[in-house]
Amino acid sequence: MKASKHSPRALLCSVLLSIPLFGQAETVNWTNWLTGQISKHPDVMAATEQAAARDADAEASEQPLYNPELSVGADRTGSENNFEAGLSQTIDWSDQQGALKDKAKLIRLSAEADLNEAVLAQTSESLFALVEWRAATRAEEIAESQQHRLDALLEQVEQRQQAGDLGRADAELLFLNLSRQLSEVAQAKAAVDRAETQVQERLPDWRPQDGGIPGHIWPALASRVDNDNLLDHPSIAAARARWQVLRSEAEVVSRRAAASPTVGLSGGRDGGENLVGLTFSIPLNVRNNYRAEIQAANRRSLEAEARFQALYRKQQYGLAGARAAWKRYDTQLSRWTELSQGRVQRSADLLERQWQVGDLSTSEYLQALGQRAESLKTGIELEKQAQLGLIELLSQSGELITPFQQ
């Protein structure tokens, strides 16, 4: 098996490399790192070995069907030593080997499509995990920031309470909010831990300090595939290749049902006389004409064709749904970004000043802080969903990875 045909590293080198901005050195470095990580995953390694085995199967299908047969015999009659030697060869009368060679080509295409499909799945899952981890870490930062702000606020409230500036109800209200925030911080940290393990399962050498997907990659990502191009999607290509392999297998079975004659030539010596013989034999497909085998092979081919058509149809709707979902989230994210414009980041200090001068009560201040935190989390969720939607769109279209070309 040639490395250029089925190597996962070769295939993964094309991940996202069709995107214009990927000429930047830092982007290429990150893509190469991702390539190496995905190629180490057991699922991809298993798919690579499977492709190698199927390539060997294809090579076996291309070999001649029948080897010549050599026969040797000897006996003794009286004082005479008799012997005979013969050579026979079965003839591929129906050209089964021609059909098998066509099948071998399709087996290789099927193996490559299946490997592409495995790499695409692992790539999209890895990117999904990185996006989830990044969103979880940002949510953790917000939760911790909110807790620190409430801790500092509690200290101020206790000082103002001692000075008679605030009542005990304010401190109790703040205590309740802080208690709830402690739970939110714990949940946020647990979410980060879960997200980290998901990334590490897919990218063996990844560590939190490696970070998520570089920010300069996202603006360059775009989908240009429509339904007419979906036949190149790894899943669709794999399904079509499986159908074509079974269709070629039906042709092989049909030709195998035809009788293949055997021709033999022999020579020897018997009773002091030289012997030369010519034999010809052909199976008589009388008791079994192999019609059932041919029918079964044709039915399997028709089943594979129907499954290919069903998957192609499903992929068309999946692509349309993924594109619509991504556009929805991307539009709302753009709107949220436009509305916030740094206001959410500046609002905490503004709210604290208003509380200090008495323009806001403690309950109003705590409510406003909670609303600010929810707004920040909304922005994180919108960005996460937009990024996940884009990855899903590129996965559904097959653009997340393109077939390797020498």
Side-chain angles (χ1 to χ4, degrees):
M1 184 185 67
K2 297 180 180 179
S4 62
K5 183 176 292 185
H6 297 309
S7 167
R9 178 171 291 275
L11 289 168
L12 284 165
C13 282
S14 63
V15 174
L16 308 175
L17 286 178
S18 59
I19 300 168
L21 278 185
F22 275 45
Q24 300 177 2
E26 64 273 17
T27 303
V28 173
N29 290 337
W30 187 82
T31 303
N32 289 336
W33 173 83
L34 180 67
T35 293
Q37 292 300 297
I38 292 178
S39 66
K40 294 179 181 180
H41 195 278
D43 286 344
V44 175
M45 295 173 66
T48 303
E49 294 303 321
Q50 183 184 55
R54 294 175 67 185
D55 189 76
D57 289 338
E59 185 177 354
S61 294
E62 294 173 329
Q63 303 306 310
L65 286 177
Y66 306 111
N67 285 312
E69 294 185 10
L70 176 65
S71 62
V72 178
D75 62 60
R76 182 178 180 83
T77 305
S79 61
E80 296 290 338
N81 292 321
N82 305 318
F83 67 91
E84 182 180 9
L87 187 67
S88 62
Q89 173 69 57
T90 301
I91 301 173
D92 183 13
W93 196 261
S94 59
D95 193 21
Q96 295 179 52
Q97 189 177 10
L100 287 170
K101 286 183 177 180
D102 292 338
K103 178 184 174 181
K105 295 177 183 177
L106 295 171
I107 288 175
R108 289 191 173 94
L109 290 176
S110 177
E112 185 172 359
D114 285 339
L115 179 55
N116 276 344
E117 186 178 16
V119 171
L120 174 62
Q122 191 60 37
T123 302
S124 60
E125 289 175 5
S126 299
L127 295 179
F128 282 150
L130 285 171
V131 169
E132 292 282 0
W133 172 80
R134 175 57 180 157
T137 56
R138 293 183 62 193
E140 178 190 29
E141 291 170 0
I142 292 174
E144 288 185 328
S145 175
Q146 185 78 343
Q147 179 182 332
H148 294 157
R149 189 172 291 275
L150 291 176
D151 284 334
L153 181 60
L154 179 60
E155 184 178 346
Q156 295 181 49
V157 167
E158 290 175 345
Q159 293 175 355
R160 292 180 62 178
Q161 185 181 358
Q162 293 176 359
D165 191 19
L166 290 175
R168 181 169 179 79
D170 296 276
E172 293 299 323
L173 183 61
L174 181 56
F175 170 76
L176 293 175
N177 277 267
L178 183 56
S179 299
R180 184 180 61 186
Q181 191 61 33
L182 291 174
S183 175
E184 291 189 9
V185 169
Q187 293 177 24
K189 288 183 175 295
V192 171
D193 292 337
R194 288 192 296 269
E196 282 185 7
T197 59
Q198 290 297 314
V199 179
Q200 289 169 342
E201 188 276 325
R202 290 167 175 82
L203 304 174
D205 298 330
W206 179 88
R207 296 294 178 268
Q209 55 267 29
D210 295 326
I213 301 173
H216 55 81
I217 287 177
W218 296 107
L221 296 174
S223 175
R224 305 171 184 85
V225 164
D226 53 26
N227 289 341
D228 295 334
N229 305 118
L230 274 180
L231 288 175
D232 295 329
H233 189 284
S235 297
I236 304 300
R240 182 173 58 174
R242 284 192 290 270
W243 162 44
Q244 291 174 334
V245 168
L246 288 174
R247 186 174 61 178
S248 66
E249 175 62 22
E251 178 63 25
V252 171
V253 172
S254 177
R255 296 189 186 186
R256 188 179 295 148
S260 297
T262 300
V263 177
L265 179 64
S266 62
R269 190 173 181 82
D270 187 7
E273 300 290 334
N274 293 328
L275 296 178
V276 176
L278 179 65
T279 61
F280 177 85
S281 64
I282 186 169
L284 299 178
N285 296 343
V286 176
R287 301 185 64 187
N288 184 1
N289 59 9
Y290 302 100
R291 179 172 296 178
E293 287 85 345
I294 296 173
Q295 185 179 23
N298 285 328
R299 290 294 185 180
R300 282 191 287 268
S301 173
L302 292 173
E303 176 195 0
E305 181 182 10
R307 293 188 183 280
F308 157 65
Q309 295 291 350
L311 183 61
Y312 182 43
R313 183 175 183 272
K314 181 180 179 181
Q315 197 71 30
Q316 290 176 325
Y317 284 99
L319 176 60
R323 180 172 281 115
W326 168 69
K327 285 183 178 179
R328 292 288 187 186
Y329 283 114
D330 188 61
T331 299
Q332 294 302 101
L333 175 62
S334 299
R335 179 61 175 157
W336 182 88
T337 303
E338 179 183 351
L339 287 174
S340 61
Q341 289 293 328
R343 293 176 186 149
V344 178
Q345 299 295 338
R346 297 191 302 268
S347 60
D349 295 334
L350 176 61
L351 291 172
E352 183 176 358
R353 286 196 299 270
Q354 289 182 314
W355 175 73
Q356 292 283 4
V357 298
D359 290 342
L360 287 177
S361 67
T362 302
S363 62
E364 291 173 333
Y365 180 34
L366 291 173
Q367 183 180 9
L369 284 179
Q371 291 174 343
R372 172 185 174 274
E374 288 301 319
S375 179
L376 289 172
K377 288 189 286 188
T378 296
I380 292 173
E381 183 65 20
L382 283 173
E383 183 180 68
K384 183 185 81 170
Q385 293 300 331
Q387 292 176 348
L388 292 176
L390 182 54
I391 295 171
E392 177 64 17
L393 172 59
L394 295 172
S395 179
Q396 289 287 340
S397 68
E399 293 171 285
L400 199 59
I401 176 174
T402 56
F404 176 75
Q405 297 178 347
Q406 184 70 29

